[in-house]
Amino acid sequence: MSKRRSPYVVLLLCVVAFAMQAAAPEPAAAPAKVPAPAIVMLLGVFHFANPGLDMVKSEVIDVTTPANQAYLAGLAQRLAAFGPTDVLVECDPAAQARQDAQFAAWRDGDAALTVNEVQQIGFRVAGEAGLSTVTCFDEGGVQWNAAPMFEYMAAHAPERKAAIEALFASLSARHTREQTTLPLPELLRLANDPARDRENKALYIGTNDLDAGGGFAGADAAASWWQRNFRMYANVQQAAARGRRVLVVAGQGHTAILRDLLALDGERQAEDVMPYLVP
């Protein structure tokens, strides 16, 4: 003969079961997905419309020929395939509104591209990538303060002054020879060549010791150039937040230093631009 459970016992069992279920821990929430580190690609260039402001001066290839225009159009398509969320170009942030207006005029078919690399490369890539504008990141308020160094050399080290002037003349001649004989893809490859980057930075090391122990005119001149590039890299860091893909277009004298800073930046990763230069 089966025993019937008391209704009180059944009720008690139901209460215990409910309490155990209520006490069970909630499933752990999935951790928030952290965006991937930013990817930064540096494109070193020579100035297409050379204003002659650099110490090393040279003639410049005509980028407006049909062959060079075709190459630049293809280059923009390849760089856009990188998927940039931002295109940073060498102009001061104070000029951003002017760049926005010029980009919009070109995008809408109301203006042609100027010769400057900001437009020939920066505008083209931003247009191909569907961006609304380019971003100015230069800090031209800080310049290479070399005047005290040259004054020191003139007064105390004329042989060093003669040597550095001869070096600049030699580099200018080489640049003119390259600009007048090499095709545009090769010129851009040289502007991103690690050996050329080292050569560029070595110019500052070669004069760093001038006036050592005195006014440090050589070291202060070098520091002024690095200061400008540190500021420019701060603007790169601001744009290159996690999840962003940033293309930076700047003169080779800047990208030579910016590459060193990017290599030290544990929050961002570098993308090699060299494969994109190949037609």
Side-chain angles (χ1 to χ4, degrees):
M1 185 176 190
S2 63
K3 295 183 179 179
R4 298 182 60 190
R5 288 182 175 175
S6 164
Y8 297 106
V9 174
V10 174
L11 177 62
L12 179 60
L13 292 173
C14 290
V15 170
V16 171
F18 178 79
M20 291 177 65
Q21 183 178 8
E26 292 289 331
K33 186 176 180 180
V34 178
I39 308 296
V40 178
M41 181 159 62
L42 299 172
L43 172 59
V45 296
F46 58 92
H47 294 304
F48 290 0
N50 193 341
L53 299 179
D54 296 334
M55 290 299 297
V56 177
K57 306 181 189 302
S58 71
E59 296 181 28
V60 178
I61 191 173
D62 181 3
V63 300
T64 66
T65 65
N68 286 337
Q69 286 291 290
Y71 171 75
L72 290 171
L75 175 63
Q77 292 174 350
R78 293 190 296 277
L79 292 172
F82 164 67
T85 57
D86 307 82
V87 175
L88 274 55
V89 293
E90 194 177 336
C91 51
D92 271 25
Q96 186 64 56
R98 183 169 71 251
Q99 292 294 336
D100 292 345
Q102 291 176 349
F103 178 83
W106 168 75
R107 180 196 59 204
D108 297 341
D110 297 327
L113 294 173
T114 65
V115 177
N116 193 291
E117 67 277 1
V118 168
Q119 296 196 14
Q120 288 290 328
I121 296 179
F123 279 20
R124 288 180 197 260
V125 176
E128 290 283 348
L131 304 182
S132 61
T133 191
V134 296
T135 301
C136 295
F137 86 111
D138 193 11
E139 290 296 328
V142 179
Q143 292 289 327
W144 182 41
N145 185 23
M149 179 184 74
F150 281 100
E151 291 170 3
Y152 175 85
M153 285 193 289
H156 304 286
E159 73 289 348
R160 294 284 297 275
K161 183 172 183 291
I164 195 69
E165 289 175 346
L167 176 58
F168 285 145
S170 174
L171 291 174
S172 294
R174 185 185 72 181
H175 284 200
T176 293
R177 183 171 62 254
E178 291 173 348
Q179 289 281 332
T180 55
T181 60
L182 297 179
L184 181 55
E186 177 62 11
L187 292 172
L188 288 177
R189 187 196 70 78
L190 288 173
N192 293 275
D193 181 8
R196 291 292 176 96
D197 285 351
R198 288 193 297 272
E199 179 183 76
N200 185 290
K201 292 175 289 187
L203 293 173
Y204 301 93
I205 295 301
T207 56
N208 191 65
D209 66 311
L210 286 163
D211 199 16
F216 291 95
D220 287 353
S224 67
W225 184 243
W226 257 254
Q227 181 188 11
R228 178 176 175 180
N229 285 281
F230 264 104
R231 288 190 177 192
M232 292 172 72
Y233 191 70
N235 292 336
V236 173
Q237 289 174 299
Q238 184 178 54
R242 281 185 168 269
R244 311 294 287 182
R245 298 177 66 86
V246 178
L247 171 66
V248 180
V249 183
Q252 189 257 343
H254 296 298
T255 56
I257 298 171
L258 297 178
R259 281 195 178 90
D260 290 343
L261 302 181
L262 177 56
L264 296 171
D265 190 344
E267 294 297 316
R268 291 159 188 85
Q269 297 176 0
E271 174 90 358
D272 185 10
V273 74
M274 284 297 200
Y276 295 85
L277 303 179
V278 180

